Amino acid sequence: MAVGAAREPAVVHPLRLLAYYRLDQDALADVPWPRPLRMRLLQEDGVSLAITATGLPFCGGPLWLRWVTRLWRGAFRGPLRTLEGGAEAGSCSLWAAAMLGDLADLRVIGVEPMPAAAGALRQSAKANGWPRGTVEVLEAALVNRSVRVAGRGNPTVTLSVAPGRSAEASAIHCVAGDRACSIVHVPALTLDELTLAPHPAKAADGRGSGRFEVIHCLKLNVMGFELDVLQGGADKFLLPPEPDDRGGSTSPRPLVCSVILDELKLDRGPEDVRRLGAIIRLLQSRGFLVEAFVRDHGEAARRAPHRLLLERIQVGEFGQVALRALHLLPVAARGSKGWVVAAWRKVGVAGGACRATEPPFRPAFAPEDFGQVLPRAEATAALPA
């Protein structure tokens, strides 16, 4: 199966995405208006067909939308680098580049295993005429160290791909049934194995940037394998900065300022609950301040003011939330729910190197975004430890 060659570029107007989610009320006249975005799409691909039909980039992650929007409205200036795992044809990364390209010194890294999607992302970057290096594409699947890979010098992973559903390529199963998929072998690497090119710009205050290659935001949407990808960066990529670390290495090491997981799943029930708990623990162990939410993807969210309905998972309440998700939520309804996780470095870390993810740029949800997502019982018992 050939997942189509790139189509002619589609022209997308970035602010229409904000209008769709009703986040466009506070646009300021003195902020550079984003230019139209040219996107290369794929033939016979569900995501590309949705973009063509709606005129909107296929990007609905609520934290990502609010973070990029705050940077744009706040006229953020300075170096800014993002890394998106599971970038597909680039909807979210390209949209961010269009929104912020005339403001920040932006570097966007998209990691995408499917060759056609990675190629379309590269062509989109060229079609928009951005400076060289604004968009970098790595054609690979992000994995952890325990994933079985074939090949010694050039490890690969095998993905099952259903026709028209390249965004749902999986290393575990075929989303459309075993006989409906083709097999694709793609390069595999871990976050710890990534080599980051130096960002040409320095932090505004000149501090912190020399010791670190800063990733202001790590965004992952990898079909339920976010935990595996994070485990592949636990030894180096996600480590916190040491307060008095002056280096000692000849080259700067990575510093991830924030992690956004907007599309975590709940449809696998106990396994997805377990993975959520493991993700929260891993990020906390690497020095992040972690927020977690239950998200509705159904009709209640579509009717909400910003097409979003969340329920915050309070500190100490994970067991109760897990109990409600597993025992009070009908199995058939699990596919309409999911998790959202945000992880932030403390304010002022590394001499201000993470300023782009600190207040006032750090995203937050409005009061009207919250409501009941999971069923409640008058009396529930905590889950066993």
Side-chain angles (χ1 to χ4, degrees):
M1 177 195 67
V3 179
R7 301 161 61 97
E8 287 300 310
V11 178
V12 175
H13 295 274
L15 290 183
R16 288 182 182 173
L17 190 62
L18 298 186
Y20 177 78
Y21 288 102
R22 307 181 188 111
L23 297 172
D24 58 340
Q25 297 89 347
D26 299 322
L28 302 177
D30 58 347
V31 176
W33 221 245
R35 305 174 190 177
L37 168 64
R38 297 170 65 84
M39 289 189 65
R40 289 279 185 174
L41 303 178
L42 306 178
Q43 295 180 2
E44 301 177 2
D45 174 78
V47 170
S48 292
L49 291 174
I51 295 171
T52 301
T54 63
L56 300 173
F58 199 78
C59 183
L63 282 168
W64 179 259
L65 293 177
R66 284 157 176 77
W67 179 56
V68 172
T69 302
R70 285 200 173 193
L71 291 168
W72 174 66
R73 287 180 179 151
F76 177 83
R77 304 280 182 177
L80 184 67
R81 178 157 51 183
T82 66
L83 191 153
E84 182 182 15
E88 302 173 9
S91 280
C92 289
S93 287
L94 292 170
W95 177 76
M99 291 289 292
L100 302 173
D102 289 335
L103 288 168
D105 192 337
L106 185 65
R107 298 293 183 271
V108 171
I109 304 169
V111 185
E112 169 54 42
M114 296 302 296
L121 178 50
R122 291 190 188 95
Q123 291 181 44
S124 293
K126 293 179 180 178
N128 285 281
W130 293 319
R132 183 176 180 180
T134 298
V135 178
E136 178 183 357
V137 183
L138 302 179
E139 192 173 313
L142 292 172
V143 299
N144 64 17
R145 295 188 183 281
S146 66
V147 170
R148 292 182 179 180
V149 294
R152 296 180 181 179
N154 297 294
T156 62
V157 65
T158 301
L159 300 179
S160 297
V161 190
R165 300 173 70 176
S166 64
E168 299 173 88
S170 172
I172 301 300
H173 66 282
C174 174
V175 296
D178 291 340
R179 295 184 178 181
C181 279
S182 61
I183 299 301
V184 179
H185 302 284
V186 299
L189 77 163
T190 67
L191 287 173
D192 281 341
E193 294 170 327
L194 285 178
T195 301
L196 299 176
H199 197 299
K202 295 291 184 181
D205 58 9
R207 300 164 56 198
S209 57
R211 294 180 288 126
F212 303 106
E213 288 299 340
V214 178
I215 295 289
H216 293 91
C217 183
L218 169 64
K219 178 186 183 300
L220 299 176
N221 183 9
V222 288
M223 292 299 298
F225 292 93
E226 286 80 2
L227 174 61
D228 308 75
V229 174
L230 294 172
Q231 289 171 335
D235 292 340
K236 182 179 72 172
F237 199 80
L238 295 173
L239 289 180
E242 296 296 332
D244 299 321
D245 180 17
R246 293 182 173 80
S249 172
T250 57
S251 60
R253 68 174 181 85
L255 171 62
V256 177
C257 296
S258 68
V259 179
I260 287 180
L261 312 175
D262 273 330
E263 305 287 350
L264 296 176
K265 294 180 175 294
L266 180 52
D267 51 9
R268 292 180 296 182
E271 173 62 13
D272 286 331
V273 171
R274 182 194 72 79
R275 283 176 167 266
L276 173 66
I279 286 171
I280 292 172
R281 290 190 296 272
L282 188 155
L283 292 171
Q284 288 174 334
S285 73
R286 297 308 183 268
F288 288 97
L289 307 174
V290 181
E291 300 177 281
F293 309 85
V294 193
R295 181 183 178 187
D296 184 272
H297 291 279
E299 184 59 33
R302 287 189 283 271
R303 293 194 308 264
H306 303 297
R307 303 183 189 271
L308 177 69
L309 182 63
L310 299 168
E311 189 173 338
R312 185 183 294 274
I313 302 176
Q314 302 288 351
V315 175
E317 293 186 356
F318 179 77
Q320 292 290 332
V321 171
L323 181 65
R324 292 164 58 201
L326 295 178
H327 297 286
L328 300 179
L329 182 70
V331 173
R334 289 175 179 171
S336 67
K337 314 295 180 187
W339 313 109
V340 173
V341 172
W344 315 103
R345 293 295 183 197
K346 295 179 180 179
V347 173
V349 73
C354 292
R355 183 175 67 90
T357 61
E358 298 174 357
F361 304 113
R362 183 172 296 178
F365 296 117
E368 60 267 27
D369 296 329
F370 291 97
Q372 182 176 326
V373 176
L374 296 176
R376 293 185 182 274
E378 292 188 7
T380 56
L383 285 177

